[in-house]
Amino acid sequence: MKSILIFPAFFLALSASCFGVLAQEAPAPQDPFTTAVSGLTAQDPMVRRRSADELGRLGTPASIAPLTQALADENPFVRSAAVDALGILRAREAVSRIAELLAKDPAPQVRQQAAIALAYVGDPTTEDALIAALKDASDGVRFAATRTLGSLRSRKALEPLAAALKDPDAGMRRAAAAALGQIGAKESMAPLQEALDDQDLHVRREALRAVGAIADAGSAAVFEKALKDSDAVIRLQAASALGRLGDFSGEAAVAALLKDGEASIRMQAAGILGRIGGKDKALPALLAALSAEKDQGVKGLLDLAAAQIKARLGIKDEPAKKPEPGRAPKAAGKKAPAKKRAP
């Protein structure tokens, strides 16, 4: 009977001992920042890359110093992740190092990421490095530098960006037009107007959008010419820009696009007519299109545009005719019962 009692006591003591050891050996949870900083020195470059990403995600200023050191990492993917994280952190302390990477790093993806990071930081002292990057051998670097110069509103870059409107690459011409539109300088109007004759319709669209951002009342002739462009989107952009200048001469061109084969064009046309249309041309065209339209999404926008014109011009719908006193209204579509003949 004693041996039966001894074994349970023995196992209870052993279990308590094991749980005590496990409790002592359980590691304390590590701080994410400390773990990420430690990971920057790991042998595996993928670990170092993930650690740089994590430091950027944590968003603490204490990450700037270790990330700046990581810009010298031998692996280009680690350097790219580090410069991206510094951009996210808006690390002005690292601007000179990022600009140096933009100019000298051998890996194009690092140079491109450096140009993007400088847009996040927004330091105008980097203009010269970005302008120099417009001549980089990598298209990705040139595009990124162009966009960053636009976001910085760099007037110093007006001339090189205007020159980029004649670049052999249509993507670069389009990016240059967008950047000039962001900067919004009157000096850019002449080269942008020339770009309206570009063979690439996407360049023409971006150039017209940029002209619209800069335009004043004296720019109407530019938009009137664009109303004759072969591209429907450009004609819509031109009419909308004229409307912002108080010129509604593009109304007829937009009304004609209510019959376009693409639903997206008909939707845009309806939206523009709602803003610039009048009662004599736009309103009848919208109502006719509404009765013929099959697409429910387009019908909703046509109806809304017609309502906008009526509200803007104070046009009230005619009230429904009331039935004559003492006579009940006839049910639509039903004939009166035939009179019974006398036998």
Side-chain angles (χ1 to χ4, degrees):
M1 190 68 178
K2 289 181 179 181
S3 62
I4 295 173
L5 296 173
I6 289 171
F7 281 108
F10 171 76
F11 282 118
L12 287 171
L14 181 61
S15 299
S17 175
C18 290
F19 281 122
V21 172
L22 289 172
Q24 291 174 3
E25 292 180 352
Q30 286 190 322
D31 174 49
F33 172 76
T34 304
T35 302
V37 172
S38 176
L40 289 177
T41 59
Q43 289 188 349
D44 187 344
M46 293 306 295
V47 174
R48 301 200 300 275
R49 181 182 181 181
R50 287 196 297 269
S51 297
D53 288 335
E54 178 66 9
L55 286 171
R57 189 190 66 80
L58 290 172
T60 173
S63 299
I64 294 174
L67 283 168
T68 304
Q69 292 179 353
L71 295 178
D73 195 283
E74 63 180 7
N75 187 286
F77 295 104
V78 178
R79 297 197 301 275
S80 182
V83 76
D84 178 49
L86 287 167
I88 292 171
L89 292 169
R90 313 299 197 267
R92 287 185 175 271
E93 305 95 313
V95 159
S96 60
R97 287 285 290 115
I98 297 173
E100 184 180 355
L101 287 179
L102 174 61
K104 299 178 180 180
D105 197 281
Q109 70 265 36
V110 178
R111 300 197 303 275
Q112 180 177 348
Q113 196 59 56
I116 295 170
L118 290 176
Y120 283 106
V121 178
D123 191 332
T125 64
T126 62
E127 284 177 306
D128 290 336
L130 288 161
I131 291 171
L134 294 177
K135 297 181 180 179
D136 196 281
S138 167
D139 288 343
V141 178
R142 296 194 301 135
F143 294 167
T146 299
R147 294 187 187 101
T148 298
L149 286 166
S151 70
L152 291 176
R153 309 290 196 273
S154 172
R155 296 187 65 87
K156 197 172 184 179
L158 288 176
E159 187 174 339
L161 287 174
L165 289 173
K166 297 181 179 179
D167 193 274
D169 189 299
M172 186 62 184
R173 300 198 300 274
R174 182 181 179 184
L180 289 171
Q182 283 183 289
I183 297 169
K186 296 292 184 184
E187 301 94 303
S188 301
M189 282 294 284
L192 284 169
Q193 287 182 39
E194 288 184 28
L196 293 176
D197 293 323
D198 198 283
Q199 294 299 310
D200 187 282
L201 72 88
H202 297 291
V203 176
R204 297 202 306 276
R205 288 178 182 179
E206 201 61 62
L208 188 63
R209 189 176 292 114
V211 169
I214 304 171
D216 54 23
S219 308
V222 178
F223 302 117
E224 289 171 359
K225 179 183 175 183
L227 286 175
K228 300 174 183 177
D229 195 279
S230 60
D231 180 57
V233 173
I234 290 178
R235 298 200 297 275
L236 289 169
Q237 286 179 317
S240 182
L242 283 168
R244 289 194 296 273
L245 297 175
D247 183 335
F248 306 122
S249 58
E251 182 182 20
V254 178
L257 290 172
L258 293 175
K259 298 178 181 179
D260 193 88
E262 290 188 27
S264 62
I265 296 295
R266 300 197 300 276
M267 287 180 172
Q268 292 179 63
I272 292 171
L273 287 176
R275 295 191 299 273
I276 71 169
K279 66 176 182 177
D280 295 327
K281 294 179 182 178
L283 187 55
L286 284 166
L287 296 176
L290 184 60
S291 63
E293 183 61 55
K294 305 298 182 184
D295 187 299
Q296 291 301 314
V298 179
K299 284 177 76 73
L301 287 177
L302 291 167
D303 193 34
L304 175 62
Q308 287 176 322
I309 292 175
K310 291 176 182 178
R312 178 161 45 81
L313 301 179
I315 301 172
K316 295 182 179 179
D317 291 324
E318 293 184 6
K321 292 183 179 181
K322 295 182 179 180
E324 295 179 16
R327 180 177 295 182
K330 294 181 180 180
K334 291 185 179 180
K335 294 182 180 179
K339 294 182 179 180
K340 291 183 179 180
R341 291 182 180 179

